[in-house]
Amino acid sequence: MKKILLFLAISMYIVSCSKKPEKIAKTGLSNEEKKDSTSIKTLFNSALTDGKSYEWLRDLTQNIGGRLSGSPEAAEAVEWGAKLMKNVGLDSVWLQPVMVPHWVRGEKEIATYTTNGAQKNVPICALGFSIATPKTGVLAEVLEVSSLEEATKLGNKMEGKIVFFNRPFDDTLINTFRAYGGCVDQRVQGAAICGKFGAKGVIVRSMTNSIDDFPHTGTMSYGNLPKDKYIPAAAISSKAANILSDDLKKNPNLKFYFKQNCKTLPDAPSFNVVGEIKGSETPENIFIVGGHLDSWDLGEGAHDDGTGIVQSLEVAYLFKKNNIKPKNTLRVVFFMNEENGTRGAKKYAELAKQNKEIHIGGLESDAGGHTPRGFSIDANTVNTKLLQSWKKLLSPYGLHDLDKGGSGADISPLKGKNVTLVGYRPDSQRYFDYHHTSRDTFDKVNKRELELGSASMASIIYLMDKYLYNNTPVKP
């Protein structure tokens, strides 16, 4: 009998110990924070059991596909977005007209070179806004460089040559967006530097951590270069870049050939898609949540930025489903032309100023649909500390990162002393496997990760709306 009683006592002690962490986790929360914790849990439960974002993304990517500004697909996506916002039941939905660039790729690009009697085919794609090569293509010797500074020092030695920019990502950087930022200048500015000195063309190592055969496109600029100095610019895959670099060491005089058929057409009419839930207390104050509707043309624009679009709308859907009435107006925006011009963002900010709208905060999702990690905050010191104080509410959902940083290309034009802008930050390790490539397709998006992101965004908007609103609106 004593043994049975001892066993029961030990069992009860073990059970009581197992419950202690839960009690401890809840201590330190005020009564109001406990209410917030319950609301956040409700948002996550709804997203994970009745989320709509994944099916919305399937429809966008599978039935429309890549949506480069000015294309028929981009126009179709505008109609799709407006219809979807109305179906969700937003209080009002409208289109903001904006003229956008219209660059087209044309026929598939080709690239080859011969070394030691063997011809090698090179995976290649034109960079956005590049001119075409002559109809017969470009054939020239190659000069390999690792930076814009190194290219500039070559000066007239670039004349008649193809310049090969081959600076890889810094793989020691945990945040792969920092690695991207450390390399992307060669893609954007390379042709402007080399064209000035008479180079025949520019090829750039693709912007990725991965070593594979998928070239990454992206925008480039000729800057202030006269048009007669424009030269064709393209990206080659990271694997091809390594092979070409090795072959150049063995045969510095090898000649590289590439041909592309792209061109820039006149600007085309398009739209931002805008919808909102009117605020219940201070409707003149506006929180914006959004992403960009356009994408590059090689893939389906799934991670960049279909995920951001559907997550932004799902924030409004989750509010409505759970009868959360925002105190301030919650506005969802699908921006057009982030990839090669940010015309939609500029137009939105211009109209907001003209209409004397009061934006007190914004959230942008344009970093893919992978596992949520947190948010970067662009705000004054007081509001930054306020958002960081919510870590105790957000960390149970893996949202540990609440650091100062940029918000996003589309909402940054709204920046101001009293405007709190936030960028959604999912895990970045896989993002540049797909970014601006033919691999950016629906099947690369995980349903649960996408839904967790929607709930994460809805949670921080819920907190921002509750604690950042002001009964005496700040002046724009």
Side-chain angles (χ1 to χ4, degrees):
M1 185 68 178
K2 288 182 179 179
K3 288 183 178 180
I4 293 172
L5 291 172
L6 179 62
F7 174 77
L8 289 171
I10 292 171
S11 299
M12 290 174 68
Y13 175 74
I14 291 171
V15 170
S16 68
C17 287
S18 68
K19 291 183 178 179
K20 282 183 179 179
E22 185 177 355
K23 291 180 181 178
I24 292 171
K26 288 185 177 179
T27 60
L29 292 181
S30 68
N31 288 334
E32 200 61 32
E33 286 172 332
K34 288 176 182 177
K35 293 179 185 177
D36 295 335
S37 179
T38 299
S39 295
I40 289 171
K41 179 60 175 171
T42 298
L43 289 169
F44 271 86
N45 288 351
S46 294
L48 294 171
T49 59
D50 192 30
K52 305 299 182 186
S53 55
Y54 192 67
E55 291 308 316
W56 292 342
L57 182 64
R58 184 197 303 274
D59 189 23
L60 176 65
T61 56
Q62 304 290 279
N63 295 323
I64 298 177
R67 308 167 295 281
L68 194 55
S69 291
S71 69
E73 292 81 6
E76 188 177 351
V78 167
E79 294 181 8
W80 172 90
K83 182 179 179 181
L84 190 59
M85 285 187 185
K86 291 174 183 175
N87 289 344
V88 168
L90 301 191
D91 294 338
S92 55
V93 177
W94 68 97
L95 303 180
Q96 287 183 339
V98 57
M99 296 298 291
V100 298
H102 190 189
W103 178 86
V104 294
R105 184 173 302 280
E107 294 178 17
K108 185 174 174 57
E109 307 88 342
I110 57 173
T112 63
Y113 67 90
T114 300
T115 184
N116 295 328
Q119 179 175 295
K120 296 186 177 181
N121 296 320
V122 178
I124 191 170
C125 65
L127 296 178
F129 288 134
S130 175
I131 63 168
T133 60
K135 290 184 179 181
T136 55
V138 169
L139 177 67
E141 291 183 358
V142 179
L143 293 177
E144 181 179 353
V145 297
S146 61
S147 68
L148 297 175
E149 293 75 20
E150 187 178 346
T152 301
K153 287 178 182 177
L154 287 174
N156 293 327
K157 291 180 181 177
M158 291 187 278
E159 186 173 355
K161 303 291 196 329
I162 291 173
V163 181
F164 168 36
F165 286 90
N166 191 30
R167 182 165 79 257
F169 273 25
D170 181 350
D171 284 333
T172 67
L173 295 173
I174 304 303
N175 185 338
T176 60
F177 280 88
R178 287 184 60 200
Y180 175 75
C183 290
V184 75
D185 62 343
Q186 58 191 331
R187 187 195 78 199
V188 176
Q189 302 173 49
I193 296 289
C194 301
K196 182 166 57 176
F197 293 103
K200 290 185 74 172
V202 161
I203 54 175
V204 183
R205 181 192 187 93
S206 283
M207 302 289 112
T208 179
N209 300 87
S210 298
I211 304 301
D212 58 34
D213 271 329
F214 296 92
H216 294 232
T217 192
T219 195
M220 53 80 63
S221 171
Y222 291 109
N224 296 321
L225 205 62
K227 284 193 174 182
D228 63 346
K229 295 288 187 180
Y230 284 13
I231 57 175
I236 64 173
S237 71
S238 54
K239 184 176 179 180
N242 286 348
I243 295 171
L244 176 59
S245 183
D246 289 342
D247 285 341
L248 283 169
K249 290 178 178 65
K250 300 169 190 173
N251 180 10
N253 298 317
L254 71 80
K255 291 187 176 182
F256 189 95
Y257 171 83
F258 74 107
K259 181 182 177 182
Q260 58 191 40
N261 304 279
C262 46
K263 60 182 175 179
T264 300
L265 302 174
D267 286 357
S270 191
F271 303 89
N272 293 326
V273 185
V274 187
E276 66 181 25
I277 300 173
K278 209 71 174 173
S280 60
E281 295 186 15
T282 50
E284 64 273 23
N285 287 351
I286 300 168
F287 278 105
I288 184 176
V289 57
H292 63 88
L293 189 54
D294 63 304
S295 77
W296 285 103
D297 55 319
L298 296 179
E300 296 171 356
H303 278 290
D304 189 18
D305 183 30
T307 55
I309 288 296
V310 297
Q311 286 172 328
S312 296
L313 184 56
E314 192 151 61
V315 170
Y317 166 78
L318 292 172
F319 270 52
K320 290 186 72 65
K321 177 176 174 57
N322 292 288
N323 200 31
I324 297 173
K325 294 178 170 46
K327 297 177 179 180
N328 309 280
T329 292
L330 175 59
R331 185 175 289 178
V332 180
V333 183
F334 296 173
F335 293 95
M336 182 55 70
N337 183 231
E338 187 274 344
E339 291 293 6
N340 59 349
T342 62
R343 299 270 188 93
K346 292 168 184 171
K347 176 57 71 172
Y348 182 89
E350 175 191 325
L351 292 174
K353 186 175 181 180
Q354 283 180 13
N355 297 328
K356 298 182 180 179
E357 292 179 338
I358 303 167
H359 286 76
I360 61 173
L363 170 62
E364 182 169 338
S365 175
D366 185 18
H370 295 116
T371 304
R373 293 285 184 249
F375 304 92
S376 57
I377 306 165
D378 187 0
N380 61 41
T381 301
V382 172
N383 286 348
T384 297
K385 288 181 179 178
L386 175 62
L387 267 66
Q388 290 174 334
S389 75
W390 300 335
K391 188 170 183 178
K392 65 182 98 169
L393 295 168
L394 298 173
S395 60
Y397 303 95
L399 300 166
H400 299 285
D401 300 337
L402 289 169
D403 303 316
K404 284 191 71 67
S407 56
D410 283 319
I411 65 173
S412 59
L414 299 171
K415 185 173 180 176
K417 184 174 67 174
N418 295 311
V419 182
T420 299
L421 301 178
V422 178
Y424 169 57
R425 295 292 173 255
D427 184 86
S428 70
Q429 304 312 314
R430 289 169 286 161
Y431 184 65
F432 290 99
D433 293 352
Y434 314 124
H435 183 250
H436 295 181
T437 73
S438 60
R439 299 182 70 201
D440 187 11
T441 50
F442 175 72
D443 60 297
K444 306 304 189 303
V445 178
N446 177 273
K447 180 177 184 289
R448 186 170 176 83
E449 288 180 319
L450 182 70
E451 293 166 347
L452 286 168
S454 297
S456 299
M457 291 167 59
S459 297
I460 200 165
I461 285 289
Y462 163 81
L463 293 169
M464 290 170 71
D465 175 70
K466 181 174 180 178
Y467 293 108
L468 285 177
Y469 91 107
N470 191 330
N471 285 318
T472 306
V474 293
K475 294 180 180 179

